[in-house]
Amino acid sequence: MDDRQTTNKVAVVTGAGSGIGRAVAVELLGAGWSVALAGRRAGTLEETAALAPGGACVAVRTDVSQPDDVTALFETTVERFGRVDLLFNNAGTFGPGGVPVEELPYEAWRHVVDTNLNGAFLCAQAAYRRMKEQDPQGGRIINNGSISAHAPRPHSVAYTATKHALTGLTKSLSLDGRPYGIAVGQIDIGNAATDMTASMGAGALQANGEVTPEPVMDVADVARTVRHMAELPLEANVQFATVLATAMPYVGRG
């Protein structure tokens, strides 16, 4: 007997145990999506699932920088739900904050690159393969970029480099996915209220050397934007979207 739950809307959300990934997963579950929750810590994934009681989800402990983990994530998703319609490629790390480039350990650089860029590629590749092969063919990939894909903060060389690289990944995947009905876009997010941005209210280092408090926005507004992008027909695509706290120092940064 096949006990798989199937739906026309199946998503994989990486970094689903906290922050933006958690908010997006809960938003999708509330809208009737089936969601594979991926993250490094099983406990936080279960906490995310508990925020959407009755939602069709499966928690899969995943280190996106590990090819075998990514393979297992997508195998589990297809075994449970039958297909993959959406990948929200969200897992990421800022790395050690406030470290000048000349003092950044190579191991720290490599960890950020492995998570933010290599992990995003591995997940996109796995999703692309499933979307190309499944019937009906196609699906959508949304990469989580950042305001740092446009303008860096001081002492953020690893994070900024990977987020710029994600833009190139998005463009290449978008082009290569056209023949197979695979739509690929990117959301660049600035100052959503999560644990990662909790310190901004006390002050963030600016390009002129000053430390200035920065406004943040409700992470639920980001989640609703991702859902809008996700629920477009595959004939339409938001290639790039920028969602940010209105008064944050982005336009004119530096």
Side-chain angles (χ1 to χ4, degrees), residues 10-164:
V10 179
V12 174
V13 176
T14 66
S18 63
I20 292 167
R22 171 174 283 180
V24 168
V26 171
E27 178 73 18
L28 293 174
L29 286 165
W33 287 70
S34 298
V35 181
L37 308 170
R40 293 174 182 266
R41 294 171 292 169
T44 59
L45 297 177
E46 296 296 341
E47 291 171 4
T48 298
L51 294 174
C57 63
V58 60
V60 187
R61 199 215 65 80
T62 307
D63 180 344
V64 297
S65 70
Q66 300 300 312
D68 289 345
D69 279 16
V70 173
T71 297
L73 167 63
F74 282 86
E75 287 178 347
T76 299
T77 303
V78 173
E79 288 170 3
R80 179 70 178 271
F81 300 122
R83 58 183 288 114
V84 178
D85 295 292
L86 171 69
L87 165 65
F88 181 45
N89 224 349
N90 166 72
T93 181
F94 191 81
V99 178
V101 61
E102 70 274 16
E103 298 176 12
L104 184 70
Y106 175 71
E107 294 76 12
W109 164 272
R110 182 63 183 267
H111 175 65
V112 175
V113 172
D114 280 346
T115 302
N116 295 6
L117 180 57
N118 295 342
F121 163 73
L122 289 170
C123 289
Q125 183 184 56
Y128 188 101
R129 288 169 173 163
R130 296 290 181 181
M131 292 171 180
K132 182 180 176 180
E133 296 168 359
Q134 64 195 8
D135 185 20
Q137 191 180 62
R140 189 180 304 275
I141 298 170
I142 301 173
N143 293 323
N144 184 353
S146 170
I147 295 300
S148 291
H150 304 268
R153 289 184 177 277
H155 306 321
S156 65
V157 64
Y159 185 78
T160 298
T162 58
K163 292 303 185 178
H164 275 66

Side-chain angles (χ1 to χ4, degrees), residues 153-155 199-200 202-214 249 253-254:
R153 289 184 177 277
H155 306 321
S199 64
M200 287 184 174
L205 181 64
Q206 307 298 310
N208 63 1
E210 296 179 358
V211 175
T212 305
E214 293 190 13
R253 182 189 288 184

